[in-house]
Amino acid sequence: MIASLVALLALAPQTVSIVPKETVWVYGNASTPADGTFLRAWGTDGKSCPGPGEDVGEFSFSYLKWDLSSLPADAKLVSAKLVANNIPDPGFNLESSKKAPLEARAIEGEFEAKTWTFDLASKVRPVSGKPGIYGTGSPAEIKAGAPVEISIDLLKGSSDFKKALQVAVGSTNHTLAIAITSALDPSVEGRTCVYKVYGQNESKETLRPKLVLVFESTSFRR
């Protein structure tokens, strides 16, 4: 009986939860874009991010980067989520969030938080349209005075997150970057109708954004 239980536990999926090592708030008027306190996202005219040739300054989004050096190169992914927490009493409600969810997107180009300036936003951009989306998410509930959790399934979008993860793990720097975007439009629904989630430097650990990855247990046998 004990041997069987040990064998079952050994086969249990392995969950890894990782906080981003650096983040950037991409917005023309952001005074401290890389301080890691809050990450924001909103859009305009029904779009969450600019397409080729469109003005980046009309949007606000954020970039997150993770260090994946602790993951085995051949790890077999079972599920992947990005979990973020919005500040309490947001300017959006459940209905508006479902219409314009928080999006996780692939990024074109590379960024470093310590050298980031908004001038780089024309070169380092979210992949626009459906092809760039890893997944979307909106809160299950909004309680007065409480942080609002948003979970994004990264395996449900058009962009191949599994492939992106494999490439990142096998790269020389072992890093993965994701953009968070949204079509919420404060110019239409009010200036507070934006996503404002806690960053990696939030003092309360449970509120920090997390990449939650589940792998087959055999992936961690060396």
Side-chain angles (χ1 to χ4, degrees), residues 12 26 34 36 50-51 68 78 87 90 105 124 150 156 202 205 208-209:
V26 184
L68 305 181
V78 176
I87 63 170
R105 289 182 176 270
V124 184
I150 302 171
K156 286 194 172 182
E202 162 60 32
E205 186 175 351
R208 297 170 188 166

Side-chain angles (χ1 to χ4, degrees), residues 7-201:
L8 286 172
L9 291 173
L11 293 174
Q14 302 292 311
T15 300
V16 178
S17 181
I18 313 172
V19 172
K21 68 174 187 176
E22 56 186 282
T23 58
V24 168
W25 173 29
V26 184
Y27 183 54
N29 294 325
S31 57
T32 54
D35 64 358
T37 54
F38 295 104
L39 307 175
R40 301 162 175 85
W42 67 80
T44 185
D45 294 332
K47 296 182 179 181
S48 62
C49 63
E54 294 182 332
D55 185 6
V56 179
E58 296 295 319
F59 300 82
S60 170
F61 37 83
S62 298
Y63 297 156
L64 303 85
K65 184 189 290 185
W66 285 269
D67 178 3
L68 305 181
S69 57
S70 63
L71 300 182
D74 59 347
K76 188 172 181 180
L77 189 66
V78 176
S79 73
K81 294 181 180 180
L82 172 58
V83 180
N85 286 276
N86 201 90
I87 63 170
D89 305 317
F92 58 83
N93 56 32
L94 291 178
E95 182 180 357
S96 58
S97 180
K98 287 180 180 178
K99 289 180 179 178
L102 190 63
E103 303 168 348
R105 289 182 176 270
I107 297 177
E108 296 177 348
E110 297 183 2
F111 73 93
E112 296 289 338
K114 62 182 179 182
T115 58
W116 177 263
T117 64
F118 187 69
D119 291 341
L120 297 172
S122 61
K123 298 179 180 179
V124 184
R125 305 162 64 99
V127 178
S128 61
K130 288 185 178 181
I133 296 180
Y134 291 132
T136 65
S138 55
E141 61 179 358
I142 298 176
K143 293 182 177 180
V148 183
E149 182 177 299
I150 302 171
S151 180
I152 300 175
D153 189 333
L154 298 173
L155 302 182
K156 286 194 172 182
S158 300
S159 193
D160 191 343
F161 180 79
K162 281 188 177 182
K163 182 177 180 180
L165 185 72
Q166 290 173 347
V167 171
V169 171
S171 68
T172 55
N173 58 14
H174 308 295
T175 59
L176 172 73
I178 292 177
I180 54 172
T181 63
S182 177
L184 275 181
D185 191 343
S187 68
V188 175
E189 302 187 61
R191 65 181 184 85
T192 63
C193 192
V194 303
Y195 288 103
K196 183 178 180 182
V197 304
Y198 295 98
Q200 80 278 15
N201 290 333

